[in-house]
Amino acid sequence: MELSPEGQPVDKKPILTPDGLIQNPTSIGNSTILEQNSTPSSPQTNGNTNLTAILPVIYEIIRCVEKDPLDNAAKQRESQEGSQKILELQKRFEIARAEVKQLPGIDYNKEEQLNKLELLRNQLLLKQQLIRKYKDTQL
């Protein structure tokens, strides 16, 4: 904990929100403003499953593990809830794996990808030279 300019204690620890964002509290004046720094996410293929869809489930699993109820009925309920969340996470991982398999170019090995990259670079250079040539002839 740190002290604000007014001498009040301010908690500066980052907070993980259920939607997968990390919030860093910074104090300005008397109020505390939360800055949201989103974690980098993978490109979406169908818009539903990506890193931001997986992080909230992980957050919920961690919260279930952190809870420590005293009575046996609550422990059993929390255990079942945690098991369901783990199954949900496994489903989301399976969906993510399927989406990765559908990405274009994933079936090429490294050498083929490098060859394709070299071909595209050569095409780019030729097109840039052609554009320069047309610009020079117009003047």
Side-chain angles (χ1 to χ4, degrees):
M1 289 222 162
E2 296 180 9
L3 294 178
S4 67
E6 293 80 27
Q8 298 174 347
V10 177
D11 190 11
K12 293 278 188 169
K13 291 188 279 185
I15 302 165
L16 181 63
T17 62
D19 58 352
L21 299 176
I22 298 173
Q23 295 180 339
N24 294 320
T26 57
S27 68
I28 299 176
N30 289 335
S31 63
T32 300
I33 296 176
L34 295 175
E35 296 176 356
Q36 292 188 349
N37 299 325
S38 64
T39 56
S41 62
S42 61
Q44 296 182 2
T45 53
N46 70 3
N48 287 337
T49 303
N50 59 14
L51 185 60
T52 59
I54 292 173
L55 287 178
V57 178
I58 294 173
Y59 175 78
E60 291 172 2
I61 291 170
I62 292 171
R63 294 219 23 170
C64 284
V65 171
E66 287 178 345
K67 292 180 184 177
D68 191 20
L70 297 176
D71 61 346
N72 287 335
K75 281 185 181 182
Q76 186 175 7
R77 189 172 52 248
E78 291 295 328
S79 175
Q80 289 175 348
E81 190 176 309
S83 296
Q84 290 174 350
K85 292 182 190 302
I86 290 173
L87 290 174
E88 174 68 23
L89 181 64
Q90 288 175 342
K91 288 178 191 175
R92 292 193 185 199
F93 278 140
E94 289 173 10
I95 292 170
R97 286 185 189 110
E99 287 180 355
V100 166
K101 289 179 182 178
Q102 294 175 355
L103 289 174
I106 197 73
D107 52 340
Y108 298 119
N109 63 23
K110 185 178 180 179
E111 292 174 0
E112 291 172 335
Q113 290 177 355
L114 290 174
N115 288 338
K116 179 77 172 170
L117 179 63
E118 186 64 30
L119 287 173
L120 290 172
R121 284 185 179 157
N122 288 338
Q123 286 179 358
L124 177 64
L125 288 174
L126 290 172
K127 288 181 180 183
Q128 286 174 339
Q129 290 173 355
L130 187 60
I131 289 171
R132 272 189 242 117
K133 180 181 174 182
Y134 284 133
K135 282 184 179 179
D136 290 341
T137 57
Q138 290 178 357
L139 297 174

